[in-house]
Amino acid sequence: MLYRRFGKTNLKLSVFSLGTMRYLGSEEIAQQTIFKAIALGINHIETARGYGNSEEYLGGAVTSGLSVCRSQIYITTKIPPTPDAETMRRYIHESLVRLNLDYLDCLGIHGLNTWEHLDWVKSEDGCMQAVREAVAEGKVRHVGFSTHGSLELILAAIDTDLFEFVNLHYYYFHQRNAPAIQRAAEKDMGIFIISPADKGGKLYTPPAKLRELCQPFSPLALSYRFLLSDGRITTLSVGAANPEELIAPLQVADNGGELTQAEAIALAKLEQQQNLALGTEKCSQCYACLPCPENIHIPEVLRLRNLAVAYEMTDYGQYRYGMFENAGHWFPGMKGNRCTECGDCLPKCPENLDIPALLNDAHERLQGKAGRRLWG
Ligand code: SF4
Ligand code: SF4
């Protein structure tokens, strides 16, 4: 297991972190997973107030052995932004009680997703007042945020200089947040990548086309290597629901060097396939078409279409597409079939795409079932 400095927190975190969002079942399996992760070299465990029983289960592990090595294990919990300090004060206290901890190594503001959330965070008597008190009292050592917000919002949140780390969505198959990685690195922030296997492409169950293109690597290993080869990134979350699910990801945990020639060739093949399969229908993800008066998240719909057409990633596309209109500010935007063909977006698209037709096609391919978040 490699360890990297988590930006200005100066914590040395394992390059894989255990994410505990999927601990919705048995406490026993949750604890087995936690102890297995530690035995395999993981020293950072991440949970959240909103993840069902996850904090309690982790608190159980703290009392049944984790406290012995407390100083070598780093624990993060996340709490949603609140407009007032009092609610945040109570939430921090409740998390510490559930976790059986005197202090949190890291507290993340969970889901700084909207401009209103950013206002709350910047307000003198908002939630950060309680966070500052907790830091002063030694209950919280480091403060960061996680976000599903727009790139502009993420950059603005980073630029507040209130945070030491950031949890981001950034993957080979979704590089929109690349400027946020760069800005966070310039600010010496720790960078935690949220769920690359699942949110980064449902890579535990890749389609045959993708498997073939990534040869001789697995899509999962290649995607992890894309991230680990970037020295600005500290750690990747693994949302293992049981000890066995730790095995495949950790096969690349000692491999943080630059991309090898073979890996670079495999990634180039992916790029080539996308150009070939999509031709003049490829959305280049420039985001110039927004805003849409119907609030359709055009680039994200077309990103999912790109992946479905180029790599047969329809299952992943349906999973993410199903979250439109179902997950509030965690996954904003309307589905493609809401397009009224008003034409506003057409002159803004440098690729001259027939956006209404592509949205319609994306909807046909991806409408699947309504999605929901795993927690909350
Ligand atoms: S044509 Fe459709 S996608 Fe484009 S701006 Fe109008 S409603 Fe939105
Ligand atoms: S402007 Fe065109 S290429 Fe750019 S994100 Fe929108 S649809 Fe894609």
Side-chain angles (χ1 to χ4, degrees):
M1 177 68 67
L2 297 172
Y3 298 85
R4 284 182 180 163
R5 180 177 165 273
F6 197 36
K8 62 179 92 168
T9 71
N10 276 321
L11 303 177
K12 277 213 116 184
L13 300 191
S14 45
V15 292
F16 282 94
S17 294
L18 181 65
T20 60
M21 163 203 245
R22 292 169 68 212
Y23 290 170
L24 306 173
S26 139
E27 177 162 14
E28 195 188 341
I29 293 175
Q31 293 199 7
Q32 284 169 5
T33 312
I34 291 167
F35 287 111
K36 179 71 175 177
I38 291 169
L40 291 170
I42 286 180
N43 71 356
H44 180 221
I45 306 174
E46 217 242 7
T47 181
R49 175 183 173 84
Y51 291 173
N53 294 325
S54 169
E55 284 189 332
E56 277 98 343
Y57 289 178
L58 182 50
V62 168
T63 42
S64 51
L66 214 62
S67 51
V68 176
C69 51
R70 176 71 183 97
S71 60
Q72 281 101 52
I73 301 297
Y74 303 114
I75 295 179
T76 296
T77 198
K78 305 189 295 301
I79 295 177
T82 60
D84 63 306
E86 187 47 41
T87 308
M88 178 57 82
R89 214 170 273 129
R90 178 163 60 83
Y91 283 177
I92 293 172
H93 174 72
E94 288 171 356
S95 283
L96 285 167
V97 169
R98 279 192 291 268
L99 288 160
N100 288 316
L101 293 175
D102 306 327
Y103 70 92
L104 290 164
D105 297 282
C106 300
L107 170 65
I109 300 297
H110 193 190
L112 210 167
N113 295 341
T114 67
W115 293 100
E116 183 182 41
H117 292 159
L118 186 62
D119 286 342
W120 293 350
V121 156
K122 285 161 69 177
S123 154
E124 272 306 307
D125 53 1
C127 52
M128 295 306 279
Q129 188 192 345
V131 173
R132 281 189 291 272
E133 284 166 17
V135 171
E137 291 164 6
K139 293 178 185 166
V140 169
R141 296 199 168 167
H142 303 286
V143 181
F145 70 100
S146 76
T147 177
H148 292 230
S150 68
L151 175 61
E152 294 72 23
L153 177 73
I154 299 171
L155 294 173
I158 290 172
D159 285 343
T160 62
D161 292 323
L162 291 168
F163 302 107
E164 294 165 275
F165 66 90
V166 60
N167 297 5
L168 282 176
H169 292 270
Y170 172 73
Y171 318 108
Y172 175 74
F173 294 114
H174 183 33
Q175 297 183 36
R176 168 70 179 163
N177 286 335
I181 297 272
Q182 181 56 25
R183 184 75 60 87
E186 285 162 10
K187 297 263 184 190
D188 193 24
M189 292 170 75
I191 300 177
F192 172 107
I193 302 296
I194 303 166
S195 180
D198 182 58
K199 299 197 173 71
K202 254 191 153 201
L203 299 172
Y204 283 119
T205 50
K209 183 79 189 169
L210 187 62
R211 283 205 309 270
E212 175 202 317
L213 287 162
C214 291
Q215 286 296 333
F217 310 101
S218 70
L220 183 65
L222 190 62
S223 300
Y224 281 145
R225 280 286 300 133
F226 169 77
L227 295 169
L228 289 178
S229 66
D230 186 336
R232 300 169 302 177
I233 291 171
T234 316
T235 186
L236 320 180
S237 78
V238 180
N242 57 57
E244 293 72 49
E245 288 186 7
L246 289 163
I247 305 304
L250 298 198
Q251 282 170 2
V252 293
D254 291 322
N255 194 351
E258 285 181 13
L259 290 172
T260 63
Q261 197 183 12
E263 288 166 342
I265 289 171
L267 291 173
K269 259 190 350 206
L270 286 177
E271 178 72 22
Q272 210 176 23
Q273 164 65 12
Q274 188 158 156
N275 291 333
L276 205 69
L278 289 155
T280 54
E281 291 185 346
K282 178 178 164 179
C283 167
S284 62
Q285 296 288 288
C286 70
Y287 277 58
C289 47
L290 294 182
C292 155
E294 302 303 321
N295 196 26
I296 298 166
H297 194 332
I298 304 168
E300 181 63 4
V301 175
L302 296 189
R303 178 180 78 89
L304 299 175
R305 182 184 181 276
N306 281 354
L307 297 178
V309 172
Y311 310 127
E312 298 173 358
M313 291 171 71
T314 306
D315 191 31
Y316 168 70
Q318 289 178 346
Y319 153 51
R320 302 310 282 171
Y321 190 77
M323 294 177 75
F324 287 123
E325 306 182 24
N326 278 303
H329 58 69
W330 295 94
F331 207 81
M334 309 303 281
K335 297 190 182 207
N337 63 334
R338 305 282 181 173
C339 174
T340 58
E341 303 190 13
C342 73
D344 278 14
C345 55
L346 296 176
K348 296 190 257 176
C349 178
E351 310 293 338
N352 293 317
L353 298 181
D354 184 350
I355 293 173
L358 293 176
L359 291 176
N360 189 43
D361 179 71
H363 186 76
E364 290 297 309
R365 289 170 189 272
L366 305 176
Q367 55 185 321
K369 294 192 293 273
R372 64 175 187 88
R373 286 178 297 131
L374 274 170
W375 51 273

